[in-house]
Amino acid sequence: MIVPLDRVPDEAFAQRLAGDGIAIDPLSDRVLAPCDARVLQVHRANHAVTLAARGLEIIIHVGLDTVMLKGEGFTPLVKAGDEVRTGDPLLAFDADLVARRARSLLTEIVVANVERVAAIEPAAGPVTAARDVLMRIRLVDAPAAETASAPPREESIASAPIIVKCSAGLHARPAATLAAAARRFTADVRLVKNGHEANARSVVSTMALEVAAGDAVTVVARGDDASDAVATLAELLATDLDAGYAPAPQPSPPSAARPETLARPTTEGVLQGVPASPGIAIGNAFQLRDDDLVPEERAADPNRERRALDAAIAAACRQLDALRERLEREGRAGEGAIFAAHRELLEDPALVDAADAGIRAGASAAHAWRQAYCAQVDRLRSLDNPLLAARGADLRDVGRRVLHLLVGGDGAPREVPPDSIVIAEELAPSDIASLDRARVVGVCTTMGSATSHAAILARGLGIPAVAGMDPRALALPTGTRVVLDGDAGLLDTAPDAARMARIAERQAADARRRASELAAAASPAITRDGHRVEVVANIGDVDGAHRVPEVGGEGVGLLRSEFLFLHRHAAPDEDEQTRSYEAVARALGPERILVIRTLDVGGDKALPYLAVADEANPFLGERGVRLTLNHPALFRAQIRAILRASVSGRVAMMFPMIATLAEWRAAREMVERERAELGVPAVPVGIMVETAAAALMAERFAREADFFSIGTNDLTQYTLAMDRSNPRLAPQLDALHPAVLRLIERTVDGAHAHGRWVGVCGAAAGDIAAVPVLVGLGVDELSADVPLVPAVKARVRTLSLEACRATAREALDASDGAAVREIVRRRHG
Ligand code: PEP
Ligand code: MG
């Protein structure tokens, strides 16, 4: 399979520093000559061969970081000076060993002397070695290299001898870095070792010099900018040009507990992510995709099943594209390429045809699909070739993805063993909903951030969670004993006994604190100087509502109504919604407020039955109230259901993502019309403040809206222009940034000017450090995830309003979120 060079996760190749060409994701363990050529060099680590053909210097480089294997696993089949014909074997490698011990098996084939090339047209998709064309190369008319390499006449400048630092010597990557630096100068630059000379602009020439770590090399240059060139290259040679690249993994100790696939552990097996839900958990890794779903076998309508299969495959392709694009944006093109390969597998007609045959024979889409991909997986695995077996694993993964889409949302609980730390790429709300909560002690996802919906759900359940985790976590075998630190965002894959003991101590202290907070939870949250703050809860379903009174919640500040809409094939009708809202209202009783947010999808949450045109920026697109206003029948049914349920409790309604008065008025008008039609009493109707527009216009909105609820998750994302689902931005995505605080201040002032109340329902409301600042800014209500309610109440009781106001004043003037957190630490501990 051809992989474009810019998807190779190594900048020397991706940025074409080593030359231009292609990469190959190989299916065989032999490298064949791609053309008739003369062998210029076989690298002493045997992982790379350089060929000369028609004036071109072609580097064939097997895998990434394979130089570190120092020849292990490679068998050269040619030597320098040999003439080879297309298809002749150049070298063989132990694919299993190299795949386990190196960063990647991607094999680069690049033309190093690009000055001879006018254009390169790479092929795409699957290719067969020595049969298919890999790339078409058009040469420049006159070989410019002749003059470039002609011995220069000016006087030369030479450096002192430099001891080369690179631990693996000047192999392809450092040679490429040197060549790129040398090409910035007009001077002719040479590297000299033991009287042998290499043109520093040429990767091949530098590699042929066979410079090892510790060798002495002199840089000699001639030309106008010779002294600058010498200084630059000398400096580069004296640094470790491989620094910043992870060293090759050491062989795994022969222990069953240490996974072979976790080939490159970071410091002592600790993997890094982003804190998403507080607390620390000790448990056994459970890979969520490890379970095999057993779908219904038969189905009555083959046409319907075929349509369902097509839709699931299309949805899986979209997921894979999104995953790849995201990884590429994050500079992880290599991992992204894996998903591109998964997508190709999905397009394999043999697979789809086999599933189709099953469907025509009366099988359900899910069953037929499962039979089809499992048969292929078994076939691949039975072949005595580790690379094809690895393809089998890929096919299994992608097959499951489609299967999950076909049977997802059936609500069947997953069989999770006790004490599980669930590890997954991403958890959809339905995934968490279908887990046996009593058995899950931690959640770890490789995607997302603290404000992604999986994190919100984990906080709602009081389960420690880490998002944006190093993807190597996905390679941990189910059952590995691990520690998940939701405060520091770490997964310790090999905790030692001393650490386990410290954790057990910390868990015990946390449990004692939580018990005392819970014991006091029923009392109101009143500051030391007598100011009362309402502390309510965020919930996402009826279950959550039952837990609110137990934790001292004074109501619900945010019911995310999406729970009724996600993971199904059609929207719930008005009656079904009414019954659900009534159930929530009744669980809370007549005293506790229930603020129901109307449907908030779009952005990162899609509904299969609500078509949204493809959007370049979904978070800035048809989202929240914009989407529901564009689907009036759906919106009306929800509004009517909320109004009908309002007689069962103390119900209020609010709209997400309001940016303009026009949106607010259109939504409000619909409520009025339906209320008059139903003949029920008025309910408070408010807006969520999640956009800078709503915050800045708060006073204007306050003339009309009954209340405000600040969604700090989105308000922070939009104010700082940082995607809340991007784990790389998570450390800066802080709701305590003064820019966000200023918008909160403005919202509170606008609302209070008209006697309206303001709540905060974003994650900041449950952040103990944020509580004094929000109270000081005048927020009336804090709506936190259910398990955090007792801690928020306890925190309020330790504060005085006056001190909080002073804290808020100082915070508004701080430079960033970290500075605000420092102020809070100093003033309130
Ligand atoms: C918010 O944006 O802060 C919020 C509460 O809404 P959600 O997290 O559901 O987008
Ligand atoms: Mg929001």
Side-chain angles (χ1 to χ4, degrees):
M1 174 74 66
I2 297 226
V3 175
L5 213 48
D6 41 22
R7 293 222 194 124
V8 174
D10 184 314
E11 64 188 33
F13 292 111
Q15 295 179 8
R16 293 177 167 70
L17 301 180
D20 200 357
I22 51 150
I24 287 190
D25 191 1
L27 283 181
S28 112
D29 51 10
R30 284 191 162 224
V31 177
L32 307 186
C35 56
D36 296 353
R38 184 165 47 85
V39 178
L40 283 180
Q41 191 211 5
V42 177
H43 193 281
R44 63 177 185 287
N46 293 334
H47 69 298
V49 176
T50 312
L51 304 176
R54 299 208 212 158
L56 298 179
E57 293 167 349
I58 302 166
I59 302 174
I60 304 178
H61 186 278
V62 180
L64 297 176
D65 285 349
T66 35
V67 68
M68 314 289 185
L69 297 178
K70 299 197 170 84
E72 203 186 337
F74 289 96
T75 311
L77 303 172
V78 289
K79 58 184 185 323
D82 285 357
E83 296 288 337
V84 292
R85 308 295 304 265
T86 308
D88 285 352
L90 300 175
L91 60 87
F93 57 97
D94 178 338
D96 189 27
L97 182 143
V98 179
R100 271 190 292 113
R101 305 256 315 269
R103 193 146 57 102
S104 163
L105 265 180
L106 281 179
T107 295
E108 297 72 34
I109 303 181
V110 297
V111 176
N113 54 338
V114 282
E115 64 278 3
R116 304 295 300 267
V117 172
I120 290 187
E121 215 183 282
V127 282
T128 302
R131 199 194 68 191
D132 294 329
V133 171
L134 303 179
M135 54 185 146
R136 291 179 195 284
I137 303 171
R138 192 151 55 76
L139 301 179
V140 288
D141 295 337
E146 254 17 308
T147 43
S149 62
R153 314 235 173 273
E154 297 97 309
E155 215 168 286
S156 61
I157 295 176
S159 70
I162 303 149
I163 302 299
V164 171
K165 269 282 187 57
C166 277
S167 49
L170 298 184
H171 61 100
R173 186 191 305 124
T177 308
L178 289 168
R183 288 183 201 133
R184 290 205 302 270
F185 301 96
T186 55
D188 176 85
V189 193
R190 309 262 153 176
L191 304 180
V192 182
K193 181 191 134 184
N194 295 341
H196 296 282
E197 182 179 289
N199 181 349
R201 291 164 183 259
S202 161
V203 178
V204 172
S205 176
T206 300
M207 281 167 65
L209 207 54
E210 304 219 316
V211 178
D215 283 352
V217 170
T218 311
V219 185
V220 181
R222 298 175 182 88
D224 284 350
D225 46 8
S227 60
D228 287 349
V230 168
T232 303
L233 267 82
E235 193 179 325
L236 283 173
L237 283 165
T239 54
D240 183 359
L241 293 173
D242 271 326
Y245 289 88
Q250 297 307 305
S252 311
S255 147
R258 290 307 305 266
E260 285 196 327
T261 38
L262 189 71
R264 294 160 17 87
T266 54
T267 328
E268 295 166 21
V270 178
L271 302 178
Q272 179 73 57
V274 173
S277 176
I280 194 157
I282 302 175
N284 302 318
F286 179 83
Q287 299 287 350
L288 194 59
R289 286 190 182 275
D290 265 1
D291 63 333
D292 250 332
L293 299 170
V294 184
E296 281 293 320
E297 241 175 73
R298 314 291 300 168
D301 180 352
N303 289 335
R304 191 159 166 253
E305 297 304 301
R306 179 60 217 236
R307 281 198 300 277
L309 179 61
D310 287 345
I313 291 176
C317 285
R318 282 197 299 277
Q319 287 179 353
L320 291 167
D321 286 345
L323 215 50
R324 178 180 52 73
E325 280 163 21
R326 183 183 279 182
L327 288 166
E328 280 174 4
R329 276 203 306 277
E330 291 169 10
R332 291 149 65 186
E335 290 157 52
I338 295 167
F339 295 111
H342 278 194
R343 197 185 192 295
E344 305 270 350
L345 289 171
L346 271 187
E347 281 162 5
D348 181 345
L351 186 62
V352 180
D353 286 352
D356 196 31
I359 289 174
R360 275 186 277 111
S364 70
H367 185 72
W369 172 255
R370 187 169 180 272
Q371 296 293 98
Y373 84 78
C374 286
Q376 283 224 25
V377 169
D378 290 346
R379 206 159 52 77
L380 287 170
R381 287 190 168 167
S382 69
L383 300 174
D384 194 16
N385 179 327
L387 284 173
L388 290 175
R391 285 299 110 133
D394 282 347
L395 181 58
R396 184 151 184 255
D397 192 24
V398 78
R400 278 176 178 164
R401 185 181 287 278
V402 174
L403 190 59
H404 275 265
L405 284 160
L406 281 166
V407 302
D410 61 0
R414 303 272 171 91
E415 271 303 311
V416 182
D419 279 347
S420 286
I421 291 181
V422 172
I423 301 176
E425 219 171 64
E426 207 160 26
L427 288 177
S430 70
D431 286 327
I432 293 196
S434 66
L435 291 171
D436 183 343
R437 296 167 193 191
R439 294 167 165 224
V440 176
V441 295
V443 169
C444 173
T445 61
T446 55
M447 305 301 261
S449 70
T451 56
S452 62
H453 290 90
I456 290 167
L457 284 165
R459 282 200 300 274
L461 297 171
I463 297 174
V466 177
M469 173 52 70
D470 186 321
R472 279 173 280 170
L474 297 171
L476 269 178
T478 285
T480 310
R481 197 77 176 150
V482 294
V483 171
L484 184 77
D485 187 336
D487 300 312
L490 299 173
L491 181 71
D492 190 341
T493 62
D496 60 22
R499 177 154 159 73
M500 295 285 238
R502 280 198 306 279
I503 290 163
E505 240 170 66
R506 194 175 128 193
Q507 281 178 319
D510 282 355
R512 281 195 299 277
R513 179 184 44 75
R514 275 201 305 275
S516 84
E517 287 167 356
L518 194 59
S523 339
I526 300 174
T527 61
R528 288 191 279 112
D529 49 358
H531 172 70
R532 176 158 183 181
V533 180
E534 296 276 329
V535 181
V536 291
N538 293 347
I539 60 169
D541 55 18
V542 186
D543 263 14
H546 285 290
R547 289 158 56 222
V548 171
E550 294 163 17
V551 295
E554 293 163 316
V556 163
L558 168 65
L559 168 64
R560 289 185 167 96
S561 62
E562 295 79 68
F563 78 103
L564 280 171
F565 291 82
L566 295 171
H567 306 286
R568 46 193 296 163
H569 301 297
D573 65 15
E574 186 185 317
D575 287 345
E576 181 186 342
Q577 288 189 61
T578 307
R579 285 193 298 277
S580 298
Y581 303 142
E582 278 171 352
V584 175
R586 275 199 292 269
L588 295 174
E591 305 291 316
R592 292 187 183 83
I593 188 168
L594 165 61
V595 181
I596 303 178
R597 172 177 78 183
T598 60
L599 182 63
D600 183 16
V601 290
D604 61 342
K605 288 173 284 182
L607 293 182
Y609 49 88
L610 260 198
V612 175
D614 269 356
E615 297 178 311
N617 295 302
F619 272 119
L620 301 180
E622 231 185 314
R623 236 208 104 170
V625 76
R626 295 174 194 170
L627 186 84
T628 46
L629 282 171
N630 287 341
H631 293 83
L634 178 101
F635 200 20
R636 191 174 306 113
Q638 183 173 33
I639 287 172
R640 287 175 66 87
I642 295 171
L643 289 168
R644 281 169 59 190
S646 68
V647 292
S648 302
R650 210 183 127 203
V651 173
M653 175 181 345
M654 67 181 178
F655 309 117
M657 278 293 297
I658 290 280
T660 67
L661 278 161
E663 289 164 348
W664 150 253
R665 285 177 184 156
R668 171 82 216 211
E669 216 169 89
M670 195 178 281
V671 174
E672 257 321 298
R673 240 190 346 261
E674 299 308 321
R675 192 188 69 77
E677 229 259 339
L678 288 166
V680 294
V683 301
V685 183
I687 64 165
M688 285 193 75
V689 176
E690 301 183 281
T691 64
L696 293 168
M697 297 282 283
E699 188 279 330
R700 197 66 192 70
F701 278 105
R703 298 183 210 171
E704 303 171 30
D706 295 321
F707 65 92
F708 295 83
S709 184
I710 304 177
T712 45
N713 305 338
D714 278 314
L715 187 61
T716 308
Q717 137 164 287
Y718 293 125
T719 304
L720 299 180
M722 291 182 188
D723 182 346
R724 66 192 267 188
S725 57
N726 184 339
R728 302 233 298 188
L729 301 178
Q732 294 106 279
L733 194 78
D734 193 343
L736 285 185
H737 192 289
V740 182
L741 299 183
R742 288 173 192 216
L743 290 173
I744 296 175
E745 180 192 37
R746 175 108 175 188
T747 305
V748 171
D749 289 350
H752 287 180
H754 295 275
R756 314 298 188 189
W757 61 266
V758 179
V760 168
C761 64
D767 178 348
I768 293 305
V771 170
V773 183
L774 297 176
V775 170
L777 288 171
V779 166
D780 305 289
E781 177 216 60
L782 297 172
S783 191
D785 296 309
V786 172
L788 302 176
V789 166
V792 172
K793 286 182 123 178
R795 176 69 153 171
V796 170
R797 293 188 202 107
T798 65
L799 303 169
S800 83
L801 179 60
E802 207 186 312
C804 288
R805 284 187 176 139
T807 303
R809 272 197 301 278
E810 202 180 332
L812 285 167
D813 198 37
S815 55
D816 57 20
V820 173
R821 288 182 187 276
E822 193 42 52
I823 292 167
V824 173
R825 240 188 316 275
R826 177 164 43 78
R827 301 179 71 105
H828 302 278

